[in-house]
């Protein structure tokens, strides 16, 4: 759980940095941040898992249960890596292999 929260914090910092680069000022980014709907770490991971499962289903058919379980228990960094890997992999095993 700590790793999931830490990875989500890192992702949030990256997002904030990207918005800061394109904004006119830090105040503009903070105003935007304040107006945005709060998205929890669990929601980000859940949405990422759903998208990855849909991509895998479109590419390989219904993913095996072990793959679904592994995706649902993964942190956001792993889900992001696998979401790129699914584009060129030949099987669910290849997508979810340990690196």
């Amino acid at each position: 759980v700590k790793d999931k929260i830490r990875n989500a914090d890192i992702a949030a910092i990256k997002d904030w940095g990207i918005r800061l680069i394109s904004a006119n000022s830090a105040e503009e980014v903070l105003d935007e941040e304040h107006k945005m709907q709060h998205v929890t770490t669990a929601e980000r991971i859940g949405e990422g898992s759903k998208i990855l499962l849909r991509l895998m289903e479109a590419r390989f058919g219904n993913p095996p249960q072990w793959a679904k379980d592994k995706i649902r228990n993964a942190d956001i960094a792993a889900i992001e890596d696998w979401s790129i890997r699914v584009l060129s992999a030949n099987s669910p095993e290849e997508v979810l292999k340990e690196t």
Side-chain angles (χ1 to χ4, degrees):
V1 172
K2 288 181 184 179
D3 286 340
K4 289 182 182 182
I5 292 170
R6 188 175 144 273
N7 288 333
D9 290 342
I10 291 168
I13 291 167
K14 286 179 185 177
D15 292 345
W16 193 84
I18 290 167
R19 288 195 309 273
L20 184 59
I21 290 168
S22 63
N24 294 321
S25 68
E27 290 81 17
E28 183 180 319
V29 174
L30 292 172
D31 287 344
E32 176 187 319
E33 190 79 20
H34 186 70
K35 292 176 187 175
M36 289 177 56
Q37 178 184 5
H38 178 70
V39 178
T40 66
T41 301
E43 289 170 328
R44 285 180 59 133
I45 292 170
E47 288 303 311
S49 297
K50 287 179 191 177
I51 292 168
L52 178 56
L53 286 168
R54 290 186 69 195
L55 288 170
M56 288 186 64
E57 184 174 359
R59 185 148 173 87
F60 309 116
N62 190 27
Q65 189 61 47
W66 68 265
K68 292 176 184 177
D69 293 341
K70 186 169 185 172
I71 291 167
R72 289 184 183 125
N73 291 311
D75 62 31
I76 195 71
I79 292 169
E80 289 173 351
D81 289 345
W82 296 335
S83 295
I84 298 298
R85 204 180 293 165
V86 73
L87 301 174
S88 60
N90 294 311
S91 68
E93 292 81 6
E94 195 173 323
V95 173
L96 302 177
K97 70 181 177 186
E98 300 296 323
T99 55

